[in-house]
Amino acid sequence: MNNDKPLTLEEMLKNYTPEPLEYDPEVDGGDEFLIRDQLLEEKERLKDVVTKLKEKQREARKVRR
């Protein structure tokens, strides 16, 4: 182990040169919100289908809650 004093933040960052990051939709997942919207629309459509099928199956029977 080294018993030297710990480096300060300025000493650690003296050779740091910031580089701008480029946005890349392929890497950053820029179209994930589109997939989510499609899934939600499909879910709503399937929910309507299931509701209609349940109503058809129930026909004249009353549902008591």
Side-chain angles (χ1 to χ4, degrees):
M1 290 204 157
N2 194 354
N3 291 335
D4 294 337
K5 68 175 189 166
L7 297 174
T8 64
L9 183 61
E10 289 80 19
E11 291 171 342
M12 286 190 283
L13 297 177
K14 68 181 175 184
N15 294 329
Y16 174 72
T17 54
E19 299 175 9
L21 296 176
E22 297 295 326
Y23 174 74
D24 185 7
E26 292 265 330
V27 174
D28 298 328
D31 58 349
E32 284 183 10
F33 70 95
L34 295 175
I35 295 170
R36 183 177 183 272
D37 289 344
Q38 291 170 354
L39 292 174
L40 289 174
E41 289 171 3
E42 182 67 13
K43 179 181 175 182
E44 286 294 321
R45 188 186 71 77
L46 291 175
K47 190 168 75 170
D48 292 340
V49 168
V50 169
T51 303
K52 288 178 184 178
L53 288 173
K54 283 184 176 182
E55 288 174 356
K56 184 179 178 183
Q57 185 181 23
R58 186 171 50 228
E59 290 180 355
R61 289 184 289 154
K62 290 190 175 188
V63 177
R64 296 184 182 152
R65 294 185 182 168

